[in-house]
Amino acid sequence: AWFVLAVAHAPGFLGWAAAALLALAVEQSVRIARRGKPAVIVSATPLRSGVTRLEITRPEGFAHRAGDYLFLRVPGIARHEWHPFTITSAPERAALTVHVRSLGNWTSALRRVASHPLAPGAAREIVAHVDGPYGSPSGHVFESRHALLIGAGIGVTPFASILESLVLRANERGERPVTLRKAHFFWLNRDRYSFEWFAALL
């Protein structure tokens, strides 16, 4: 309605906005095409301090860098809602993982799904739709000589992917960084239970 009224009020507006509107149309078309591939949530694990770990099958053609994020939609919870989450698994891993903090209606509903285990022998497939990956500044960490990684609480998620990638590269599971010589990692939490989110990685 706003756009139609803007053109009716000032027809010249369309000439000024044409390039931006064309770019927006192209971006939306690309995003719709990328969102078309469903994935399956392999596991949903409730962790301490209100965090849920999701393991998702990697959609075909999905390639990310350490520190990237994605948009996630779970039709079983909300059909039209997309939510951004940092990818916490390294690019060298076959599956994708995200860690979700329960802070609103959608994340709380996801937590409830993860908190109710199935009866033995039952099968349930939780379908999700993934849009991404989208880059972040932390993706350039391997281009630096020295890296200082500082995270607080759930804000540590980009660094989980980076640290796991470093571990896997050190164990010959990926291309070793040429430039990076040393990384310092600091993680601050309100309670000691939060460190359990990435206990295996640590």
Side-chain angles (χ1 to χ4, degrees):
W2 175 89
F3 179 73
V4 172
L5 290 172
V7 173
H9 177 71
F13 169 77
L14 193 57
W16 287 98
L21 290 172
L22 179 62
L24 179 64
V26 169
E27 182 205 6
Q28 292 300 319
S29 300
V30 169
R31 292 187 73 171
I32 289 170
R34 291 170 68 169
R35 288 177 169 179
K37 298 175 183 174
V40 175
I41 297 178
V42 178
S43 67
T45 310
L47 304 174
R48 300 287 284 267
S49 303
V51 169
T52 305
R53 179 186 182 274
L54 299 180
E55 184 175 335
I56 307 165
T57 57
R58 185 188 293 264
E60 186 179 346
F62 189 97
H64 72 283
R65 296 188 308 169
D68 286 356
Y69 70 98
L70 54 77
F71 284 88
L72 185 67
R73 178 170 72 95
V74 182
I77 296 176
R79 294 188 64 81
H80 303 291
E81 291 186 24
W82 290 89
H83 296 267
F85 299 105
T86 305
I87 303 167
T88 55
S89 55
E92 293 81 7
R93 290 278 185 207
L96 300 172
T97 61
V98 295
H99 286 67
V100 180
R101 185 75 178 264
S102 297
L103 292 174
N105 294 337
W106 191 91
T107 53
S108 297
L110 183 66
R111 175 78 175 185
R112 286 192 296 274
V113 169
S115 298
H116 295 296
L118 298 172
R124 178 182 61 184
E125 188 176 89
I126 305 172
V127 176
H129 294 264
V130 175
D131 176 16
Y134 293 96
S136 68
S138 55
H140 299 287
V141 68
F142 298 112
E143 300 168 13
S144 307
R145 279 185 67 81
H146 300 279
L148 179 61
L149 313 175
I150 303 174
I154 198 64
V156 77
T157 51
F159 306 133
S161 177
I162 291 168
L163 292 174
E164 186 178 42
S165 186
L166 281 172
V167 170
L168 292 174
R169 291 175 187 215
N171 293 326
E172 309 297 334
R173 292 276 303 275
E175 184 181 343
R176 300 189 81 158
V178 177
T179 308
L180 187 64
R181 293 287 175 257
K182 185 171 284 192
H184 299 273
F185 173 58
F186 296 88
W187 183 15
L188 311 173
N189 276 310
R190 292 179 179 173
D191 56 62
R192 58 191 171 91
Y193 304 112
S194 299
F195 293 104
E196 296 176 12
W197 303 338
F198 298 102
L201 174 61
L202 295 175

